[in-house]
Amino acid sequence: MATGSFDHTVRLWGLGDPLHPVPAPGVLPHPDIVTGVAFSPDGRFLATAGRDRTVRLWDVGDVHRPVLVRTLAGHRDIVFSVAFSPDGRMLASGSYDHTVRLWNVADPSRARLLSALTGHRLNVKPVAFSPDGRLLASGSDDHTVRLWDVTDGRHPRPLGVLAGHRDFVDAVAISPDGRTLASGSDDRTIRLWNIADPRHPAGLKTLTGHADVVTSVAFSPDGRLLLSGSNDRTARLWDVTDPRRAHPRHILTGHLGAVDAVAFSPDGRLLFTGSADHTAQLWQPDVAHAAALACSVRAHPTITEKQWRAYLPGVAYRPPCGHG
C-alpha cells in the first residue's frame, strides 16, 4: 500500500499480515503536498502527484530502495490525481489547470507527453480509466464528468458529458465490467451512471446519506460493492449489484478527520481508508472472515461461561471463538 500526505512524503507499507502492517524503510520525498498516488498494474512502478505541479514516477520493485525514475512537468497548476491505464503503458493526470494530460509511460524512464485534453471549464480533479483502457473519465469543479476515447492517446476524442451534480465533482470510479460509473461530489451525493454507450450516458441512481463532501469512491473487484469516503469522517459501503436498486450496507466509523481516500485490495478482502487525521485504516468487509481472523490471534482465552452469565444473563452461552 502507498499513502501520500500533506507532510510532503509518500510511504510504502507491506500488508502480508493486515493486522500488522510493516512500513518500508525510508520515504519518497516531494517538494510539496502529495495529492495522489497510483500503482502500475504490475506493481512495479508508483506514480505520485503533487501541489508542485509535477507527476513523479518511482521504481518500487525493491520497496527497500525505491528509485525516482522520471519527473513529468508541464501542468501549470496543482496535479490532483493520477491513474495508470490497465496495460500500464499510459498514465493520466488531472490538474487544476483545467486539463487532463496523457503520458506514454511504456518505458517510465523515458516517459513523455502524448496529449492534453481540454474541455473542462474549471479544475480537473479525479481521473479513471475503464477496464479495457479505451475510455477515460475526468471529474471537475465545473460540476461535470467528461468521457474521452483514449484508444489513441495521441488523438483522444471527447464523448459524453455527465451533468447532474450541483457542486464540484471530487471522485470518479468505473465498475469492473465498464458499464457503470460512480461520481462523488461536494453536493454530498454519489451518482451512478450507465456508460455502456459513452456517447449517451444516462443516470441510474443517486445515493444519499453522507453529511458532507464525498471525496472518494471505489468499486470492489467483483463490482458488487461501492466504497465511498467523505468529509463527514465516515466511509460507506453500498450494494451496487443492481445499480438501479443500489442501497447502503455499512457505515465505517473511527476516523477523527475527513476520509480523503478509499480503495479495495486487488482480491477484495481488505478495504483501505485514508484520513485527514494522519492515519490510514484497514478494514475487513467479510464479517465472518474478520471474526475468524480475530479469534486466530486472540491473546487471551475466550469469554468463560461464568463471565458470560455475568454480562449476558438470560442469553445462551455461545462464545464467539469457541469454548475457552
Side-chain angles (χ1 to χ4, degrees):
M1 182 174 72
T3 55
S5 171
F6 270 52
D7 69 7
H8 303 188
T9 69
V10 176
R11 291 179 178 268
L12 301 174
W13 308 80
L15 301 177
D17 177 357
L19 289 178
H20 302 94
V22 179
V27 297
L28 284 59
H30 265 257
D32 209 326
I33 290 170
V34 179
T35 52
V37 297
F39 278 103
S40 62
D42 63 4
R44 170 74 185 275
F45 295 95
L46 182 75
T48 59
R51 198 169 66 173
D52 66 346
R53 306 182 180 186
T54 70
V55 174
R56 292 169 185 254
L57 296 173
W58 307 82
D59 185 334
V60 293
D62 180 352
V63 296
H64 296 282
R65 294 183 178 180
V67 177
L68 176 64
V69 296
R70 190 77 164 173
T71 299
L72 306 178
H75 279 297
R76 299 186 303 277
D77 209 328
I78 295 169
V79 183
F80 184 87
S81 60
V82 283
F84 279 95
S85 62
D87 64 5
R89 300 178 64 84
M90 192 157 44
L91 183 79
S93 54
S95 169
Y96 280 20
D97 66 10
H98 305 184
T99 72
V100 178
R101 288 181 179 247
L102 295 177
W103 311 84
N104 182 334
V105 292
D107 178 353
S109 66
R110 298 181 179 180
R112 65 185 189 278
L113 180 67
L114 288 171
S115 59
L117 287 62
T118 59
H120 283 296
R121 295 181 293 103
L122 294 173
N123 300 338
V124 177
K125 287 182 173 175
V127 291
F129 281 95
S130 62
D132 63 7
R134 300 172 65 88
L135 186 72
L136 182 78
S138 57
S140 170
D141 283 356
D142 65 13
H143 304 189
T144 71
V145 177
R146 288 181 175 262
L147 302 177
W148 312 84
D149 182 339
V150 292
T151 306
D152 181 351
R154 294 168 300 178
H155 302 100
R157 296 186 297 114
L159 296 172
V161 178
L162 285 59
H165 281 296
R166 299 186 305 277
D167 211 329
F168 303 161
V169 177
D170 301 298
V172 294
I174 298 177
S175 63
D177 65 5
R179 299 178 63 86
T180 305
L181 181 143
S183 56
S185 169
D186 274 33
D187 66 13
R188 305 183 181 187
T189 71
I190 300 159
R191 288 180 178 253
L192 300 177
W193 310 82
N194 182 340
I195 59 168
D197 179 354
R199 291 180 179 81
H200 301 97
L204 292 171
K205 179 86 170 182
T206 300
L207 305 178
T208 60
H210 280 298
D212 209 327
V213 172
V214 179
T215 59
S216 47
V217 289
F219 281 96
S220 61
D222 64 6
R224 298 173 66 87
L225 296 173
L226 182 76
L227 180 62
S228 60
S230 170
N231 281 359
D232 66 9
R233 304 185 181 185
T234 72
R236 289 177 179 250
L237 265 179
W238 310 83
D239 187 325
V240 292
T241 305
D242 179 352
R244 293 184 184 277
R245 295 179 173 82
H247 56 275
R249 286 273 298 269
H250 302 290
I251 302 175
L252 283 58
T253 61
H255 279 297
L256 301 179
V259 177
D260 299 315
V262 298
F264 283 87
S265 62
D267 62 7
R269 300 188 70 172
L270 288 175
L271 312 179
F272 306 87
T273 55
S275 171
D277 66 9
H278 304 176
T279 71
Q281 295 188 12
L282 307 180
W283 308 78
Q284 169 57 253
D286 184 328
V287 175
H289 187 269
L293 188 63
C295 289
S296 71
V297 298
R298 67 186 190 275
H300 303 287
T302 187
I303 185 171
T304 66
E305 190 167 358
K306 181 179 179 181
Q307 291 169 329
W308 185 282
R309 288 199 304 269
Y311 294 105
L312 300 168
V315 179
Y317 179 53
R318 290 186 301 172
C321 297
H323 288 67

